[in-house]
Amino acid sequence: GPGRPRCGSAALVEDSHYAQQQLVCAACGCVLAEGLLTTTYTDEQHLREVAYSQSTGQKEQLSRCMQRGIRRVQDLCKVLQLPSVFEETAVGYFQRALQHPAFHLVSLEKKELLGGCCVFVTCRQHNWPLTMGTICSLLYAKQELFAGVYLSVQKELGISVPALSLADLVKTHLSSFHLFRRAEDVPAPFVEDEERVVARTLQVVELASETWLVTGRHPVPIVTAAAFLSWQSLRPAARLACSLARFCEVAGIPLPPPARLRLRELHEILLRMASQLAWLRVFHLDKKTVVKHLGDLLQHRLVLLKNAFSLQDAEEQHGEAQGEGSAGSPPAAGPGQEEGCPLEGKRQCDSSRRPLLPPCLIHPRKRLRTAALSESDAALTGDEPISDSEIEQYLRGPQELRAFRKAKAWQ
């Protein structure tokens, strides 16, 4: 029979726990014996009876959490219209992540993001264009928190995830624009074919990459500025008056603050390229009118970049200009200007001849102010005597002495 409880009481009662009888002490609540029930976990085929502590009841909470998470992953895949193979892979990653000890004690908010991270990992591995911002908007999650969980999933599960290419990002970002479908809030001149805008935007982004505008920058402002220029160039008569802010408003996307700077840099690149085309030199091009000729500039991109940014060519052109000036021939473009320059003056012409450099070297930021020297450091003159503990650092060996005498003799 059952033993006695530690409290020494003999008041034992039978208590029904679901369908299982238990013998419990009425004084202290100690369970002295529990009945048996049939499990459906692993011993069902053998019809073995096990105690409640070994039954499926202990694993009920974990299985509910797992099932709820799997449903969330499946729903997310259906919303994103992902192939069934993606769904199976994402579910497998989620099961591995939820069973990993590193994710047992994390907050409920992070556990709810596990499914989204597994879907994001799967899309990246299959080169499916999906941005972190898109999936965070579907999950109503903060990007900082999502990024932390995403990096933890990569580390703990040992998953290798390739980076999303800029071309994939262009297609993904532009797919959310409202300009590619007719709607009441989109003016008719603003509607454009998506494939044409994407194709030209890819070319402008490649141009930005070749001219150091992409390196070290966030890609979304660059893509936004490139899409704006491409969209304008397809129907310039009706769209040149449209500003970048108005474009983003009609497209239904937020305006990234650095996009204005990227747009200005792209305008500068296009103007320098236009100065190398013979049939464009007769026009007084500015940052708006140069957009009309974007198609021609992109078509001859490689040659124009070589001519516009080659330091060797710039030096040769500068030498020829000086030679012509010394021979007494008058300048063809008037005082202060040189032949072959757009009508912007000699300063702009000289600036267009500088070599291709990253923007951080062309427009360096102001240096940070150095901290003020302390009184003890400011009092040092360099003539202070060397202490005995430091004298060994200044002693020269025989080889150094010979090299020093030889160098002194050459002087």
Side-chain angles (χ1 to χ4, degrees), residues 310-329:
S310 174
L311 178 60
Q312 182 178 358
D313 293 347
E315 291 175 350
E316 292 175 359
Q317 293 173 5
H318 190 59
E320 292 173 2
Q322 288 182 344
E324 293 173 0
S326 61
S329 58

Side-chain angles (χ1 to χ4, degrees), residues 3-67:
R4 298 178 65 85
R6 294 181 180 179
C7 64
S9 172
L12 304 180
V13 296
E14 288 188 357
D15 183 27
S16 223
H17 182 77
Y18 294 98
Q20 170 179 306
Q21 295 292 330
Q22 293 181 338
L23 197 60
V24 183
C25 174
C28 65
C30 177
V31 178
L32 301 179
E34 60 179 355
L36 299 177
L37 51 87
T38 302
T39 181
T40 58
Y41 188 54
T42 56
D43 299 325
E44 184 180 12
Q45 55 183 343
H46 303 292
L47 296 178
R48 297 177 182 173
E49 293 181 338
V50 296
Y52 171 76
S53 58
Q54 300 174 350
S55 69
T56 56
Q58 284 292 92
K59 302 184 181 296
E60 184 179 3
Q61 185 67 28
L62 179 61
S63 64
R64 277 207 307 265
C65 180
M66 179 76 76
Q67 291 171 4

Side-chain angles (χ1 to χ4, degrees), residues 146-210:
F146 184 89
V149 179
Y150 167 66
L151 294 176
S152 299
V153 169
Q154 277 188 269
K155 178 182 177 182
E156 300 299 339
L157 301 186
I159 300 175
S160 177
V161 181
L164 185 64
S165 68
L166 201 55
D168 293 333
L169 181 60
V170 168
K171 297 175 184 176
T172 305
H173 187 57
L174 266 63
S175 64
S176 61
F177 284 19
H178 297 168
L179 301 172
F180 307 133
R181 49 185 178 270
R182 296 189 177 276
E184 295 181 357
D185 56 340
V186 179
F190 285 19
V191 179
E192 189 53 74
D193 180 64
E194 181 176 359
E195 293 184 1
R196 295 179 65 195
V197 177
V198 169
R200 181 156 291 188
T201 303
L202 285 172
Q203 291 180 313
V204 177
V205 169
E206 289 177 5
L207 173 66
S209 179
E210 293 168 355

